[in-house]
């Protein structure tokens, strides 16, 4: 193998939501004439033991690891390379590609593949939430309950989520919470509290307009009241929120305590009920391949 050869490992989720593209074929075709790259493809089984993916990544000793899938696939890869210097790329093949959107990764397969070889490597921060690596968003309350209902529904996609949200809307119980950050302590009545590493959910709802993956703080978004006006702003207009209904804090660390247990999720995965959520920043924890500029 030539000393200049760059070794790429593609971790492929065959069950990812975007079925319009044969990603394995697209990858092989794209690199067929680029002899300076050595590619290895690993379509993982479903269900898949995360440790199995970590073993594949460790043994491959790749120069770059590429997640071919959505936010869930990226999280699997991130958990395996966290704490190393191995750069991670994304080919947005999932039904939810929130982090790809966040990082400016093109949705077009050809352009996304070009980003892998022409882009730059930038470190982003992550959070640890109740001991679990969070690449995107975690929350307690309303949205976590929606995710639980959505997982139980047979109908998938955007309308499945809307149906689940409508059901939850009429069952929402407001939480009595205490937020303790590295700067302040506040008490609130809230329908939902979001620990926002990124700006938006995978479905395009902009929950945290001022967020950045490159600073060394995360945002805490307190939804004090479920409001159709606020939801419309988040999804479509992105106008300023009403501070009486949606409140923001910045933190490097936070503890959220709820008087009663509430539904909780991390990166779109329902984690049951809890009355305590602790989060801490993980600065420059993951090196990502992103478009230049």
């Amino acid at each position: 193998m030539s000393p200049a050869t760059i070794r790429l490992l593609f971790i492929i989720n065959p069950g990812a939501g975007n079925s319009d593209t044969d990603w394995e074929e697209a990858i092989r075709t794209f690199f067929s004439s680029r002899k300076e790259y050595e590619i290895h493809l690993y379509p993982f089984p479903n269900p898949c033991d995360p440790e199995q993916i970590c073993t594949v990544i460790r043994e491959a000793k790749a120069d770059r690891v590429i997640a071919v899938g959505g936010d869930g696939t990226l999280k699997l890869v991130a958990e395996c390379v966290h704490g190393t210097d191995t750069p991670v790329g994304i080919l947005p093949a999932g039904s939810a590609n929130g982090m790809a959107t966040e990082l400016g990764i093109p949705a077009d397969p050809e352009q996304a593949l070009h980003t892998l070889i022409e882009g730059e490597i930038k470190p982003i921060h992550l959070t640890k939430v109740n001991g679990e690596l969070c690449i995107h968003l975690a929350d307690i309350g309303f949205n976590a309950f929606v995710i639980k209902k959505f997982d139980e529904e047979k109908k998938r996609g955007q309308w499945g989520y809307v149906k689940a949200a409508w059901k939850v809307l009429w069952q929402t119980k407001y939480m009595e919470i205490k937020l303790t950050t590295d700067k302040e302590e506040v008490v609130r009545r809230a329908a939902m509290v979001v620990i926002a590493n990124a700006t938006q959910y995978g479905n395009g709802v902009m929950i945290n307009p001022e967020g950045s993956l490159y600073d060394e703080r995360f945002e805490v978004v307190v939804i004090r009241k479920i409001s159709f006006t606020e939801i419309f702003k988040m999804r479509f207009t992105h106008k300023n929120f009403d501070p009486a209904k949606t409140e923001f804090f910045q933190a490097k660390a936070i503890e959220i305590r709820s008087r009663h247990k509430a539904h909780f999720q991390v990166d779109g995965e329902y984690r049951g009920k809890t009355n305590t959520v602790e989060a801490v920043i993980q600065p420059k924890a993951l090196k990502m391949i992103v478009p230049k500029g």
Side-chain angles (χ1 to χ4, degrees):
M1 185 173 68
S2 166
T5 299
I6 298 173
R7 190 180 178 94
L8 305 179
L9 172 64
F10 293 83
I11 303 296
I12 302 170
N13 181 357
N18 183 356
S19 58
D20 297 333
T21 301
D22 184 337
W23 284 98
E24 291 189 46
E25 180 62 27
I27 293 165
R28 294 186 193 280
T29 300
F30 183 83
F31 286 100
S32 61
S33 60
R34 294 175 167 85
K35 303 304 180 185
E36 67 272 34
Y37 295 93
E38 178 185 325
I39 66 169
H40 297 267
L41 278 59
Y42 177 70
F44 61 78
N46 187 16
C48 179
D49 179 2
E51 184 54 39
Q52 185 177 347
I53 294 177
C54 292
T55 299
V56 169
I57 291 174
R58 281 195 301 268
E59 293 180 350
K61 294 182 171 55
D63 297 299
R64 299 181 178 189
V65 180
I66 319 301
V68 186
D71 293 331
T73 307
L74 176 60
K75 179 170 180 171
L76 285 172
V77 171
E79 288 171 337
C80 294
V81 305
H82 179 228
T84 75
D85 287 327
T86 305
V88 174
I90 307 173
L91 292 179
S95 55
N97 299 299
M99 281 296 282
T101 302
E102 198 84 34
L103 294 164
I105 308 297
D108 177 76
E110 185 79 8
Q111 293 179 25
L113 284 159
H114 273 286
T115 298
L116 297 181
I117 62 174
E118 297 172 358
E120 60 181 322
I121 297 170
K122 294 182 71 173
I124 65 170
H125 76 250
L126 304 176
T127 55
K128 264 204 173 171
V129 183
N130 283 8
E132 177 179 352
L133 197 67
C134 177
I135 64 169
H136 203 216
L137 297 155
D139 54 58
I140 183 172
F142 177 81
N143 182 64
F145 194 8
V146 173
I147 286 174
K148 180 179 185 295
K149 287 291 187 184
F150 178 74
D151 289 343
E152 294 169 355
E153 293 283 346
K154 293 181 180 179
K155 188 175 181 61
R156 311 307 291 169
Q158 189 77 8
W159 282 111
Y161 185 86
V162 170
K163 183 180 178 182
W166 184 254
K167 287 184 177 180
V168 168
L169 184 63
W170 306 107
Q171 303 176 48
T172 298
K173 293 181 180 179
Y174 281 75
M175 301 176 292
E176 300 294 332
I177 57 168
K178 181 169 75 172
L179 306 178
T180 306
T181 76
D182 48 301
K183 297 190 296 182
E184 59 192 318
E185 181 176 294
V186 298
V187 175
R188 293 289 185 271
R189 180 176 184 267
M192 169 178 162
V193 181
V194 186
I195 295 166
N197 184 43
T199 63
Q200 61 184 298
Y201 287 102
N203 58 13
V205 172
M206 181 74 71
I207 192 73
N208 179 31
E210 302 302 318
S212 170
L213 293 169
Y214 303 109
D215 60 18
E216 293 192 1
R217 287 186 176 273
F218 56 86
E219 283 69 44
V220 181
V221 187
V222 180
I223 307 298
R224 301 180 69 173
K225 183 178 180 181
I226 299 295
S227 160
F228 288 109
T229 303
E230 295 293 278
I231 292 171
F232 189 80
K233 291 176 186 176
M234 293 174 186
R235 183 63 182 88
F236 298 108
T237 67
H238 302 158
K239 291 183 178 180
N240 291 337
F241 300 145
D242 180 349
K245 298 175 182 176
T246 307
E247 194 173 9
F248 295 86
F249 301 88
Q250 280 195 325
K252 291 185 176 181
I254 190 169
E255 180 185 76
I256 304 167
R257 287 193 175 272
S258 171
R259 180 174 296 180
H260 304 289
K261 287 189 175 183
H263 298 281
F264 172 59
Q265 69 87 19
V266 179
D267 287 330
E269 296 293 328
Y270 182 69
R271 298 302 189 213
K273 283 188 168 185
T274 185
N275 56 7
T276 304
V277 177
E278 296 180 346
V280 63
I281 195 73
Q282 304 285 290
K284 299 181 180 179
L286 190 66
K287 291 184 175 180
M288 296 296 308
I289 305 166
V290 301
K292 284 186 176 179

